Amino acid sequence: MGLTRRSTGKRAIDRSFTATDDPMLNVALAGNPNVGKSTVFNALTGMKQHTGNWSGKTVANARGYCENGTRHYMLVDIPGTYSLMAHSAEEEIARNYICFSHPDAVVVVCDATCLERNLNLVLQIIETGARVIVCVNLMDEAKRKHITLDLAELQRRLGVPVVSTVARSKKTLSRLLDAIDTQLNAPASTPYTVRYAAPIEQAIDALTPLLTDKVGTALNARWLALRLLERDTPLQQEIAAFLGFDPTEDPAIIAALARQRTCLAQEGMTGGALRDSMVRSLMSSAQALCEGVVRRKNAVDDNIDRRIDRVLTGRLFGYPLMLLLLLFVFWLTIEGANLPSQWLADGLFWIQDRLSELFHLLHAPTWLHDALVLGVYRVLAWVVSVMLPPMAIFFPLFTLLEDVGYLPRIAYNLDRPFCRCNACGKQALTMCMGFGCNAAGVVGCRIIDSPRERLLAVLTNSLVPCNGRFPTIISLLTIFFVGSIGGSSITAALLLTAVILLGVLATFGCTWLLSKTILRGTPTAFTLELPPYRRPQIGRVLVHSMLDRSLFVLGRAVSVAAPAGLLIWLMANVSVGGTTLLAHGSALLDPFARLMGLDGVILMAFILGFPANEIVMPIALMAYLAQGSLIDVTDIHQMQAIFVENGWTPLTAVCTMLFSLFHWPCSTTLITIKKETGSVKWMMLAALIPTLLGVLACMVLTALVRMLT
Amino acid sequence: MRLCELKPGESATVRALLSIGGIRRRLMDIGVIDGTTVTCVGRSPGGDPAAYAICGAVIAIRDRESAEILVDPLERGALPWG
């Protein structure tokens, strides 16, 4: 879900201005996806950047700070990448940072269990001329798989510091910091250089003097020669932008390049063949480096993982288990949230009474008391008591699934149906992130390589309910359907799962429709890493997702709810022509809302809830209270009484839930969509699709029900 | 034979990679080059994609892509690492 306090960036900014005599050293953290890079980053910086056991968790560069003795470091956690030859947007971010931001050092985090593949990236980064420290992580997993590594020998062969870490143990990390320190103090050395096929080496030798002459030390000449020979157009544009001039437009370079290309062509090395030869040299270098360094003792012990996979992604149990798991998560959320919600409501409304007494004691004017206590405070109290408990349960549960490594399996299981909709299986991941927060889901879409498939995922993300909408749906389900049929929280969970499935179905439907109309195309190639199952760090998950993420989301909701509370109070109390603004507004919306099975107040609550979905129900309740006779709502029965008093029927409840599921995304999500797609047009479409769907669904349902009754 | 014809539990060595464009580079980056041993470890409930153990990691690849990877099947148990 990727939503943490770091998104606000406050802490990062504050600390970068602490005055120190030492200059801040910039250290980049690179590595293959899913090697525990973010865990290393968090352990070093003490930050709570969200980590997950799946590729593409880090979708943007995250910054954090740490110190070692007198040194101050700014650590930059860049997205995981298999190589520097970018395929996707996030890999491009990683490549550009390493190549053009000139970090003082680059720590390449490697997976001890598949070092060879990781060394491919290490070699490419060394090639850029960066000062590299190799951090072999997941040593505990390697040990479990009976893999032993001779890291001293690897360090000797590579010519750069190699340290081993178990990112979950802090002890090993101080070794890494010391290695960074040593490497930064050490004089420049010449680390291992990948040797390419003879014709390529000749071309490099011919080009480097000229390139050194032209670009100086801004870029490593050998690296630049390789990239120019390779003809990677997007990268060459980046290089041109970085250098301030386009080397491929320099007459001397053009001539030299043409000469070398002719020579290479004579050896049969053009385009694809040239690139293949380069990759092969990188791979065989990595292989040679690992020879004798990595020792595997007989059988690989990942049979348990395979056995779990056979069940969780099996033909027979794959889909049912996914559904059951969803059901279980919702049941726990609903069941577990009941009591705490009640306690919170009791407590917070007790405080409201005390606040009222205080205002009376101070002889505060009635309007001030009403505006602050009945307006601002009451809406706040509702938002907190309705939202906090389900969030504090749902977030950790979801994070546990993420931590264990189940999420990529969901993408694996759902790739087939998404592929049928001409989309990418990774959309399943972004959809799941949407359950937490649609804005986070939209950002997460960067893990999808193809721009068309990414757009499909962005446009349909808000068709699954986010955490701000769950409480609305859960409370309506509980009030109108579970209570009346004497059901339990299991019934509620079943119904909620049905609602979610409707959202998932709509996601498939809209994706398919879009892929047949404005975003036509065939699914592009797809590779997805299924990481090993890892024991979740339950303590960390509980602390971080309960406190950090829940409080962050709550904080956002509360900061929106307070002014909204005031606004709605004003609207309910400022009269124009004898009627309040609220009544004017809802009367205006009422005819249209009735067609959708709602009423003017509900529709207005949705409109006023644009900044955050969490406040829709509180606003509706408040609006009813302002018009009606009831004064206080402390429990669900009173809520039901208010709704019924205002003419709600089960149909109203169903339509409200439907509209909550399908309506415009909140303002944060829309702004994020605008940022991610860079276009107002797509943003508008992302708002239009769910809104149209919701309005239509409500209208059709209402018309049908009214016809039948 | 083609990689997509490999059944779960079977292993093979990569003989040639026919894919072109971005996916070719991606596959090479994750270790699909001639000589690499690949084991099919399972199929998704929908039948496609399938999961392959490559260079110590498990990677899901769709049949459309794995059809372009030519392999020589290995005898069961002839795996270099078990």
Side-chain angles (χ1 to χ4, degrees):
Chain A
M1 287 176 277
L3 195 69
T4 61
R5 214 183 293 154
R6 92 178 153 79
S7 334
T8 61
K10 260 189 207 139
R11 183 170 168 184
I13 291 164
D14 289 343
R15 293 194 49 186
S16 65
F17 288 113
T18 43
T20 46
D21 297 332
D22 297 318
M24 185 80 74
L25 292 165
N26 179 348
V27 177
L29 223 58
N32 279 188
N34 201 51
V35 293
K37 216 157 45 65
S38 295
T39 315
V40 172
F41 176 81
N42 288 345
L44 284 176
T45 60
M47 279 183 58
K48 298 169 187 91
Q49 136 108 312
H50 180 60
T51 63
N53 187 5
W54 51 285
S55 319
K57 191 62 223 122
T58 312
V59 284
N61 296 335
R63 276 150 214 273
Y65 300 88
C66 73
E67 322 174 335
N68 189 30
T70 54
R71 295 251 196 187
H72 295 263
Y73 300 106
M74 179 177 79
L75 288 179
V76 181
D77 186 15
I78 55 182
T81 170
Y82 292 111
S83 89
L84 289 187
M85 300 302 112
H87 301 277
S88 68
E90 41 157 3
E91 287 181 346
E92 208 168 289
I93 296 175
R95 181 199 66 195
N96 289 350
Y97 194 83
I98 293 172
C99 297
F100 305 124
S101 293
H102 283 301
D104 294 297
V106 181
V107 173
V108 190
V109 185
C110 294
D111 180 348
T113 63
C114 49
L115 191 62
E116 197 180 306
R117 192 190 72 191
N118 287 254
L119 279 182
N120 175 25
L121 179 68
V122 171
L123 294 175
Q124 290 186 48
I125 295 178
I126 289 178
E127 203 166 59
T128 66
R131 279 193 176 217
V132 169
I133 294 111
V134 175
C135 162
V136 182
N137 194 28
L138 303 173
M139 290 300 282
D140 44 344
E141 271 181 33
K143 202 172 159 194
R144 221 181 57 218
K145 291 188 175 181
H146 306 291
I147 298 171
T148 48
L149 301 164
D150 184 352
L151 295 183
E153 175 61 17
L154 183 65
Q155 172 164 325
R156 201 190 58 73
R157 291 183 187 180
L158 276 175
V160 301
V162 176
V163 278
S164 65
T165 52
V166 178
R168 295 173 182 197
S169 108
K170 287 227 159 131
K171 224 174 24 201
T172 57
L173 288 167
S174 62
R175 279 208 300 267
L176 173 62
L177 279 175
D178 290 340
I180 297 173
D181 212 38
T182 321
Q183 171 72 325
L184 286 171
N185 279 328
S189 61
T190 41
Y192 181 90
T193 314
V194 177
R195 290 284 146 201
Y196 294 96
I200 301 178
E201 285 295 337
Q202 277 161 18
I204 296 171
D205 288 342
L207 288 170
T208 38
L210 174 67
L211 292 174
T212 315
D213 192 40
K214 294 279 179 192
V215 303
T217 52
L219 288 171
N220 181 295
R222 184 180 165 87
W223 178 81
L224 184 59
L226 281 162
R227 301 294 80 83
L228 291 179
L229 284 171
E230 203 178 31
R231 274 196 228 254
D232 177 342
T233 318
L235 177 58
Q236 285 180 8
Q237 281 163 0
E238 296 282 350
I239 292 174
F242 171 74
L243 289 173
F245 76 97
D246 191 347
T248 55
E249 278 171 13
D250 182 284
I253 298 179
I254 292 176
L257 264 178
R259 229 174 303 130
Q260 294 314 317
R261 286 213 180 100
T262 322
C263 294
L264 283 170
Q266 281 165 2
E267 305 283 338
M269 289 210 183
T270 50
L274 178 70
R275 267 191 291 267
D276 277 9
S277 166
M278 288 182 187
V279 181
R280 232 171 246 127
S281 302
L282 278 166
M283 285 302 204
S284 52
S285 299
Q287 222 165 8
L289 283 165
C290 283
E291 198 72 48
V293 164
V294 180
R295 268 185 296 271
R296 292 171 191 276
K297 265 189 212 148
N298 45 50
V300 175
D301 188 27
D302 59 356
N303 285 330
I304 299 166
D305 280 9
R306 296 292 75 79
R307 243 174 267 161
I308 299 174
D309 266 342
R310 228 166 287 156
V311 178
L312 288 184
T313 67
R315 194 172 276 268
L316 206 57
F317 295 112
Y319 292 132
L321 276 179
M322 230 159 58
L323 261 179
L324 270 180
L325 212 60
L326 195 70
L327 190 71
F328 177 69
V329 167
F330 290 141
W331 174 75
L332 263 185
T333 307
I334 295 171
E335 180 72 24
N338 262 339
L339 268 185
S341 256
Q342 191 58 51
W343 294 336
L344 271 174
D346 289 347
L348 290 170
F349 285 107
W350 179 83
I351 295 176
Q352 181 184 323
D353 293 341
R354 301 293 86 73
L355 276 175
S356 292
E357 282 168 18
L358 184 71
F359 273 77
H360 286 302
L361 211 69
L362 295 173
H363 299 290
T366 319
W367 63 265
L368 187 68
H369 164 262
D370 289 0
L372 290 183
V373 178
L374 300 184
V376 176
Y377 182 81
R378 194 155 62 181
V379 170
L380 273 183
W382 274 327
V383 169
V384 173
S385 59
V386 172
M387 280 208 54
L388 187 59
M391 264 186 345
I393 298 172
F394 183 84
F395 270 139
L397 282 178
F398 201 86
T399 315
L400 276 182
L401 283 182
E402 233 179 319
D403 227 36
V404 169
Y406 185 63
L407 284 199
R409 268 80 187 178
I410 295 183
Y412 177 60
N413 285 347
L414 288 181
D415 180 59
R416 183 70 177 165
F418 272 115
C419 192
R420 281 276 166 88
C421 302
N422 299 309
C424 174
K426 287 184 193 165
Q427 193 174 334
L429 288 175
T430 63
M431 188 175 76
C432 287
M433 289 166 84
F435 286 133
C437 167
N438 291 129
V442 167
V443 176
C445 291
R446 289 183 193 169
I447 59 168
I448 298 170
D449 299 351
S450 134
R452 187 188 68 87
E453 288 161 17
R454 190 161 55 235
L455 259 179
L456 284 173
V458 167
L459 292 180
T460 54
N461 194 272
S462 51
L463 293 173
V464 292
C466 65
N467 235 283
R469 291 183 273 166
F470 275 131
T472 305
I473 299 173
I474 294 175
S475 52
L476 288 179
L477 278 176
T478 319
I479 293 173
F480 281 91
F481 301 99
V482 180
S484 56
I485 52 173
S488 59
S489 46
I490 294 183
T491 326
L494 270 171
L495 287 171
L496 183 58
T497 309
V499 173
I500 304 298
L501 283 184
L502 191 66
V504 173
L505 218 66
T507 305
F508 280 120
C510 286
T511 307
W512 181 82
L513 205 67
L514 283 169
S515 76
K516 287 288 168 208
T517 50
I518 48 173
L519 286 169
R520 234 171 286 175
T522 46
T524 53
F526 156 95
T527 56
L528 175 80
E529 187 165 347
L530 301 178
Y533 289 102
R534 285 179 187 147
R535 191 163 42 85
Q537 298 165 284
I538 294 175
R540 189 187 63 84
V541 166
L542 283 183
V543 170
H544 285 177
S545 52
M546 255 172 130
L547 292 180
D548 209 52
R549 280 211 253 175
S550 304
L551 288 184
F552 172 78
V553 176
L554 191 74
R556 185 180 144 252
V558 162
S559 60
V560 172
L566 189 63
L567 179 71
I568 194 92
W569 182 86
L570 284 174
M571 287 179 71
N573 285 279
V574 177
S575 298
V576 177
T579 341
T580 62
L581 286 176
L582 191 68
H584 273 304
S586 44
L588 194 71
L589 292 170
D590 206 59
F592 184 70
R594 294 279 168 200
L595 284 177
M596 293 166 53
L598 310 172
D599 65 26
V601 169
I602 308 171
L603 192 55
M604 198 170 58
F606 273 111
I607 293 172
L608 289 175
F610 176 59
N613 283 298
E614 293 87 342
I615 61 171
V616 170
M617 271 301 110
I619 288 179
L621 277 174
M622 176 116 171
Y624 286 138
L625 286 187
Q627 295 169 336
S629 54
L630 272 167
I631 304 158
D632 225 348
V633 205
T634 47
D635 70 15
I636 220 153
H637 300 291
Q638 281 166 295
M639 259 166 88
Q640 182 173 21
I642 298 172
F643 286 141
V644 172
E645 187 178 282
N646 284 281
W648 277 50
T649 60
L651 176 67
T652 324
V654 170
C655 287
T656 309
M657 281 190 284
L658 259 182
F659 201 60
S660 176
L661 189 60
F662 305 128
H663 71 287
W664 50 86
C666 73
S667 55
T668 318
T669 307
L670 280 181
I671 293 169
T672 313
I673 293 175
K674 159 91 193 352
K675 253 193 235 160
E676 291 297 309
T677 60
S679 116
V680 178
K681 189 185 83 182
W682 292 121
M683 182 188 82
M684 298 300 277
L685 194 63
L688 202 66
I689 292 170
T691 310
L692 264 182
L693 188 64
V695 170
L696 275 178
C698 286
M699 279 185 171
V700 169
L701 183 72
T702 308
L704 274 178
V705 170
R706 287 196 181 139
M707 240 164 42
L708 293 173
T709 49
Chain B
M1 69 190 274
R2 295 164 190 280
L3 182 61
C4 62
E5 296 165 48
L6 217 58
K7 293 199 177 58
E10 292 179 348
S11 299
T13 37
V14 177
R15 176 153 41 94
L17 181 60
L18 306 179
S19 345
I20 45 163
I23 185 65
R24 181 183 181 86
R25 183 69 200 239
R26 162 60 57 88
L27 287 171
M28 290 176 105
D29 281 337
I30 57 175
V32 183
I33 50 173
D34 23 320
T36 315
T37 305
V38 178
T39 308
C40 179
V41 293
R43 283 203 166 266
S44 66
D48 185 29
Y52 301 93
I54 306 166
C55 285
V58 178
I59 314 269
I61 306 175
R62 287 192 192 134
D63 283 355
R64 219 177 47 151
E65 275 81 52
S66 56
E68 310 217 299
I69 303 170
L70 299 185
V71 294
D72 294 319
L74 283 173
E75 290 293 314
R76 247 170 201 274
L79 282 174
W81 35 270

